[in-house]
Amino acid sequence: MQLDKRNTTDREQKNSIQLNAPLALVWEVWTKPEHIQHWWGPHGFSNTITQMEVKPEGEWLFVMRGPDGKEYPNKTIFREVVKHKKLVHEHFEPNFIAVIEFEGREDQTLLDWYKLYETKELFELVEIQHKSSEGLHQTVEKLKVYLGEYVASKIGEENHP
């Protein structure tokens, strides 16, 4: 993907969130299909993941299904993977680069999520048609809820051997 390297502020999305889960767990729910399928995407969307190779040049292929039943095939290539630190992936149609950085803070994790669209026009189109900023916000909220439920289930398992 050829990115316009000039000013990028008109085609960026950023989201930071403090998650009440340890770094290793946040990394796991980001990199394992059995987890990410449950929280990825805006409210009402579900996912079928056919491939997820979390390694440089690894493919992540999945279909998002909207609340109306419409299917949205997705193709992503991981460009950089630094365990417990950073994921960089390139998404196609719409074309953007995403950088997700993880920072452990005792039993919590700071997650910084950055997306850079190929062009300002593409960003505006995706934002207007699909409300991508709101979708990113909802996805982060779903991750937060999923982590809370997952941590609670693990605590429950420990208390009931």
Side-chain angles (χ1 to χ4, degrees), residues 1-15:
M1 172 173 27
Q2 281 296 97
L3 286 174
D4 180 351
K5 304 239 189 282
R6 296 172 290 185
N7 184 6
T8 60
T9 57
D10 59 359
R11 55 197 171 94
E12 297 176 334
Q13 287 178 319
K14 297 178 184 179
N15 198 313

Side-chain angles (χ1 to χ4, degrees), residues 36-53:
I36 203 167
Q37 70 182 356
H38 296 291
W39 62 265
W40 187 262
H43 296 305
F45 279 76
S46 62
N47 300 283
T48 301
I49 299 171
T50 55
Q51 185 171 334
M52 189 173 191
E53 301 171 304

Side-chain angles (χ1 to χ4, degrees), residues 27 54 56 80-88 100 102:
W27 181 265
V54 183
E80 183 178 354
V81 177
V82 181
K83 188 174 183 178
H84 294 167
K85 297 268 185 219
K86 184 195 292 190
L87 291 171
V88 178
I100 302 91
F102 305 77

Side-chain angles (χ1 to χ4, degrees), residues 27-95:
W27 181 265
E28 180 181 328
V29 302
W30 248 99
T31 59
K32 304 272 186 203
E34 61 267 26
H35 292 295
I36 203 167
Q37 70 182 356
H38 296 291
W39 62 265
W40 187 262
H43 296 305
F45 279 76
S46 62
N47 300 283
T48 301
I49 299 171
T50 55
Q51 185 171 334
M52 189 173 191
E53 301 171 304
V54 183
K55 63 181 184 180
E57 303 307 313
E59 288 188 326
W60 178 18
L61 305 173
F62 62 101
V63 175
M64 291 179 69
R65 209 163 282 94
D68 60 358
K70 185 172 180 184
E71 294 189 345
Y72 302 90
N74 285 264
K75 179 180 180 180
T76 298
I77 303 290
F78 288 98
R79 298 298 182 199
E80 183 178 354
V81 177
V82 181
K83 188 174 183 178
H84 294 167
K85 297 268 185 219
K86 184 195 292 190
L87 291 171
V88 178
H89 65 77
E90 181 175 359
H91 186 276
F92 300 92
E93 297 181 37
N95 295 1

